[in-house]
Amino acid sequence: AGRWPAGPDGSGFTLAKRDPMTATADADHWTVSQQRGGTPGTLNFINDGTPSTFTTSTLLASGAPVTALVPSNDSLGSSWISPTFNDASWLTGTTGVGYESSSGFESLLGLDLDDPPNAQTPQPMNGVNATVYVRVDFQVSSDPNQYDAIALKMKYDDGFVAYLNGTEVARDNAPNLLSGTAGAEISQDDSNAVVFREFDITSFSHLLVQDETNVLAIHGLNFEITSSDMLIMPEIEVRDFDI
């Protein structure tokens, strides 16, 4: 109720404190766990208490080729998250995906839904739908099991659910029941949306396929159908810690 996250309510995900040093009673200090069942007895998030020295490499960078669709209904169901789904008719561009009716996200938009590149037909969200579907292909050239940590990094407004090769791996500010017209639970301040937030997806490394195409599918969620802006920009970073 109130500002408490609804995502853990029956979904299998748990309440997780964003920062362990903050007060417990404040609902804004809590979010949805990054994996079903939570992380009992271990750290909630990838950047809590991990070694400070590590080397990184990027599996999926900002500005990667992307496809996107603003659905008119829920006719696709969950078929669109499959790696084999045919998205040839979707808009094409680069991340981030979204729109800006005022100012703030313009420099981040590689696929502006109101003004897509290469004279494509716009697919407006404002006044039409709070949902946008996003798909990004990427390659993994080495054994995914060798990575100490894998982080999904997201700039987003207002919420999202992410799927790796058809399996949900992370979510924030998303309702339990998703549909092609779903919206986020609460509005997020734009100043938070333009800063990468990390989600630990290390436990899903087995979903990655070496030397083949991997697909990150993202259900982007605006708080309201009349929201003035939207942003979905993912990165995937792998880390090897120096112990």
Side-chain angles (χ1 to χ4, degrees):
R3 294 184 62 84
W4 285 89
D9 188 7
S11 67
F13 291 81
T14 72
L15 284 167
K17 192 179 283 188
R18 299 176 186 273
D19 181 341
M21 301 305 293
T22 56
T24 297
D26 190 332
D28 289 336
H29 294 166
W30 295 82
T31 186
V32 183
S33 63
Q34 295 170 352
Q35 61 190 54
R36 294 183 186 276
T39 55
T42 61
L43 304 172
N44 285 347
F45 302 109
I46 194 169
N47 58 348
D48 291 345
T50 53
S52 59
T53 304
F54 54 85
T55 57
T56 67
S57 58
T58 301
L59 294 184
L60 174 61
S62 297
V66 67
T67 59
L69 173 75
V70 179
S72 57
N73 51 48
D74 198 36
S75 62
L76 290 179
S78 61
S79 64
W80 67 275
I81 70 175
S82 170
T84 59
F85 178 81
N86 185 353
D87 59 6
S89 63
W90 290 22
L91 290 178
T92 60
T94 58
T95 59
V97 174
Y99 67 93
E100 178 58 76
S101 300
S102 180
S103 62
F105 293 162
E106 303 95 318
S107 64
L108 299 174
L109 297 178
L111 177 47
D112 187 333
L113 298 170
D114 289 337
D115 185 21
N118 303 317
Q120 297 176 92
T121 302
Q123 291 189 17
M125 289 185 69
N126 193 347
V128 177
N129 198 346
T131 275
V132 61
Y133 295 154
V134 176
R135 288 171 56 92
V136 192
D137 295 352
F138 65 99
Q139 302 290 322
V140 178
S141 59
S142 55
D143 180 3
N145 295 315
Q146 73 178 352
Y147 306 130
D148 290 333
I150 307 175
L152 171 64
K153 301 169 63 177
M154 291 288 298
K155 294 180 181 179
Y156 59 100
D157 180 68
D158 291 292
F160 77 94
V161 180
Y163 306 87
L164 181 58
N165 290 331
T167 297
E168 181 176 330
V169 295
R171 65 165 56 203
D172 189 43
N173 197 17
N176 289 338
L177 297 177
L178 291 171
S179 71
T181 57
E185 293 181 319
I186 61 173
S187 178
Q188 175 172 223
D189 190 271
D190 287 358
S191 62
N192 294 325
V194 297
V195 178
F196 275 120
R197 184 175 166 203
E198 296 184 358
F199 296 82
D200 183 3
I201 61 171
T202 311
S203 62
F204 298 100
S205 62
H206 64 281
L207 299 175
L208 293 169
V209 183
Q210 184 177 352
D211 297 327
E212 295 185 25
T213 298
N214 295 269
V215 177
L216 177 68
I218 299 173
H219 189 153
L221 300 161
N222 249 336
F223 174 52
E224 295 179 322
I225 197 172
T226 56
S227 294
S228 63
D229 50 24
M230 174 65 177
L231 177 65
I232 294 292
M233 177 177 282
E235 289 188 355
I236 298 179
E237 183 177 274
V238 297
R239 298 171 179 172
D240 293 314
F241 293 115
D242 300 327
I243 305 300

